[in-house]
Amino acid sequence: MLDPFGKRAQELLNEFETINDLLDTIPSYLDMELALERVRWVNTGRIPDHLLTLDDLKDLMSFYALLGALAFSPYGVEMELVKEANLKIYQTKIESSENFDELALPLEKPSENEIPKRDRTIIEKTLHKELPPEEKEEITLKYKMPLKTFLSLNEGSLKEFYIRNGYVYLNKTQVIELWKKSFEKNLEKAVNILYDIREELPQYYVELYSRLSELAREYFKERIEKFSTAAQPLHFDFFPPCVKIALGGVPSGLRNYAITVLLTSFLSYARICPNPPKRDVRVKDCINDLRVIKEEILPLIIQAGNRCKPPLFEDQPNEIKNIWYHLGFGYTLEPTLEDSGNSTWYFPPNCEKIRASAPSLCKPDKDCRYIKNPLTYYLRKLYLSKKSQGEKNEQSV
Ligand code: SF4
């Protein structure tokens, strides 16, 4: 199989009713070692031959097993490792293939006279007799794609591309570069879908995640800071629009949802436990002192409540107890760390729930299209910023 998000993969996935069915089947079908082999080789730089010749179902399952593991920590070293290793595996297969029909790209073949002869002569260097045939093959415009689709995949410059009548014409190298971008986007999309159902995934994926994490930490040990999305001070710039709206204060009908449900869960997880290590995590599993809640998180929640019209806590002073309840300390005003676990620490609601319960909070921006939960919006922006900072640092060395 050339592309785990392509047409052949889709046919295989159609045999399962839902993505949950596929992920439920994998543990009884696939030795976890095979999934780990997909990433373990990166240290050596050489892809083991058997990974390039796996049968389609094993290939798909071993790849999806890794995606299931990533659901427990969507943006971090683990995702970076899975992306890097699998991009190379599939790219190697694609480069040696003559047929791109299977890729998750809407490619069409141009008809013979569609490109004016003069343009072909220049672009494909047909008069350059000295060029070896393989090189000419690489620059031949064999494919085309609607411009609109192309623009959704390629955010960079259009300078290098031949565009005519609403289509972009592409040679093999350009198709492969475009496929890499679509692979990264599809991987991110799939991990976000699985993040939403991670509570339902079998224990197998928790174990796989922990082993994957060891490999990723070893591989990226020099650059671990670059991809880290561990607990750290809040970065307000990276908050999603719904959280920014809640922070600014909202009218009476929205107050309890915006402040007590959304803001309390979002700020607490984002600040102290962005990637919960297990299900039913409690605050005391992540911190050993309540000061971070009392001095950093609670003041933000109270200020946002005070910005509401009318101010939330003036109207409903007991709502502070409800905040502690949503943080997992039970309905109280003076909790101790030991009280954490007396109620459930509410996880941020996903976007679908926010849109259903408080539609006016959801004013999506362009980054919202990648995610399904406000917390992953934040983690993704944190990850992208660290990644680009890391790249700048590497360039300046
Ligand atoms: S799409 Fe999700 S993250 Fe974005 S504004 Fe709406 S609820 Fe918030």
Side-chain angles (χ1 to χ4, degrees):
M1 189 167 50
L2 296 186
D3 182 352
F5 303 110
K7 296 174 188 100
R8 173 69 185 131
Q10 209 49 55
E11 280 168 23
L12 289 171
L13 287 172
N14 287 344
E15 288 173 23
F16 299 88
E17 259 178 43
T18 61
I19 193 82
N20 293 46
D21 285 344
L22 168 69
L23 292 173
D24 283 346
T25 308
I26 288 174
S28 53
Y29 180 87
L30 189 87
D31 182 350
M32 199 180 282
E33 281 306 314
L34 183 60
L36 291 167
E37 279 174 35
R38 296 191 73 95
V39 297
R40 198 177 270 130
W41 63 269
V42 283
N43 269 332
T44 68
R46 188 176 179 280
I47 305 172
D49 291 341
H50 73 277
L51 289 181
L52 297 169
T53 52
L54 283 177
D55 75 59
D56 287 354
L57 192 59
K58 272 219 161 89
D59 189 310
L60 190 76
M61 284 193 163
S62 51
F63 178 73
Y64 269 78
L66 293 172
L67 298 190
L70 290 182
F72 293 92
S73 174
Y75 291 99
V77 279
E78 298 81 12
M79 183 165 99
E80 209 51 35
L81 179 64
V82 169
K83 194 160 56 178
E84 182 178 324
N86 287 282
L87 192 77
K88 284 189 188 143
I89 293 174
Y90 289 115
Q91 186 181 345
T92 306
K93 292 198 207 185
I94 291 171
E95 277 169 349
S96 58
S97 166
E98 285 304 313
N99 188 348
F100 288 176
D101 290 350
E102 206 196 284
L103 301 186
L105 291 174
L107 294 173
E108 297 171 37
K109 298 237 165 73
S111 59
E112 210 172 308
N113 301 318
E114 200 169 319
I115 302 176
K117 198 158 177 255
R118 192 177 52 103
D119 291 355
R120 269 214 191 267
T121 310
I122 297 168
I123 296 165
E124 297 176 352
K125 302 186 179 164
T126 34
L127 299 178
H128 288 252
K129 302 283 180 238
E130 77 286 1
L131 284 182
E134 319 78 68
E135 211 170 300
K136 282 206 170 158
E137 181 71 14
E138 292 290 313
I139 55 175
T140 304
L141 297 176
K142 282 191 180 165
Y143 307 93
K144 68 175 186 178
M145 178 186 284
L147 179 59
K148 202 169 158 215
T149 319
F150 175 82
L151 291 176
S152 69
L153 289 169
N154 183 69
E155 281 153 17
S157 152
L158 294 178
K159 226 168 55 201
E160 306 289 317
F161 297 96
Y162 179 70
I163 301 171
R164 189 181 161 83
N165 294 336
Y167 278 92
V168 181
Y169 293 80
L170 303 158
N171 60 37
K172 185 175 177 178
T173 315
Q174 290 169 328
V175 169
I176 293 174
E177 283 310 306
L178 208 56
W179 168 82
K180 282 158 83 176
K181 290 179 184 164
S182 97
F183 177 86
E184 290 189 18
K185 283 200 163 104
N186 284 328
L187 185 139
E188 212 183 305
K189 216 184 313 168
V191 171
N192 273 287
I193 290 171
L194 299 179
Y195 181 76
D196 223 22
I197 56 163
R198 69 197 180 290
E199 299 286 310
E200 297 154 34
L201 296 180
Q203 183 64 16
Y204 174 94
Y205 297 99
V206 180
E207 272 172 49
L208 181 56
Y209 170 69
S210 137
R211 298 194 49 200
L212 176 64
S213 193
E214 275 171 36
L215 292 173
R217 275 162 205 288
E218 177 57 29
Y219 182 61
F220 286 116
K221 65 174 179 272
E222 316 258 305
R223 300 184 281 160
I224 207 93
E225 265 300 299
K226 177 168 136 182
F227 301 117
S228 170
T229 48
Q232 54 191 284
L234 291 167
H235 294 260
F236 291 79
D237 291 354
F238 302 156
F239 286 2
C242 50
V243 169
K244 287 183 177 161
I245 293 173
L247 273 175
V250 293
S252 62
L254 269 183
R255 292 179 309 176
N256 297 72
Y257 191 86
I259 307 297
T260 313
V261 178
L262 175 60
L263 213 50
T264 302
S265 56
F266 175 85
L267 293 175
S268 56
Y269 276 94
R271 174 64 183 90
I272 60 185
C273 195
N275 281 308
K278 56 176 185 168
R279 291 166 194 173
D280 303 326
V281 69
R282 298 161 305 179
V283 166
K284 68 180 171 197
D285 299 324
C286 309
I287 52 174
N288 49 24
D289 186 333
L290 275 189
R291 269 190 312 178
V292 65
I293 295 192
K294 289 186 174 169
E295 293 173 14
E296 289 185 47
I297 298 169
L298 216 47
L300 290 171
I301 296 171
I302 291 173
Q303 283 158 18
N306 290 342
R307 281 187 210 109
C308 291
K309 290 193 180 71
L312 175 64
F313 302 108
E314 276 177 25
D315 260 20
Q316 304 173 14
N318 275 339
E319 196 60 11
I320 295 280
K321 290 186 191 163
N322 209 9
I323 303 280
W324 282 110
Y325 182 84
H326 277 75
L327 289 168
F329 291 83
Y331 196 65
T332 175
L333 257 190
E334 284 298 329
T336 64
L337 191 58
E338 273 320 296
D339 293 327
S340 100
N342 285 354
S343 52
T344 303
W345 181 12
Y346 281 72
F347 197 73
N350 61 29
C351 300
E352 214 177 291
K353 276 200 194 124
I354 296 172
R355 277 193 289 271
S357 311
S360 53
L361 284 179
C362 179
K363 300 259 183 288
D365 66 11
K366 68 178 176 32
D367 292 298
C368 289
R369 70 186 136 140
Y370 295 97
I371 54 92
K372 292 186 174 297
N373 185 292
L375 188 63
T376 38
Y377 179 107
Y378 179 68
L379 292 178
R380 177 173 182 273
K381 298 272 269 193
L382 205 58
Y383 159 84
L384 290 176
S385 131
K386 282 182 175 275
K387 197 171 168 199
S388 84
Q389 196 51 47
E391 275 158 10
K392 273 187 208 142
N393 291 348
E394 271 169 25
Q395 278 163 14
S396 62
V397 172

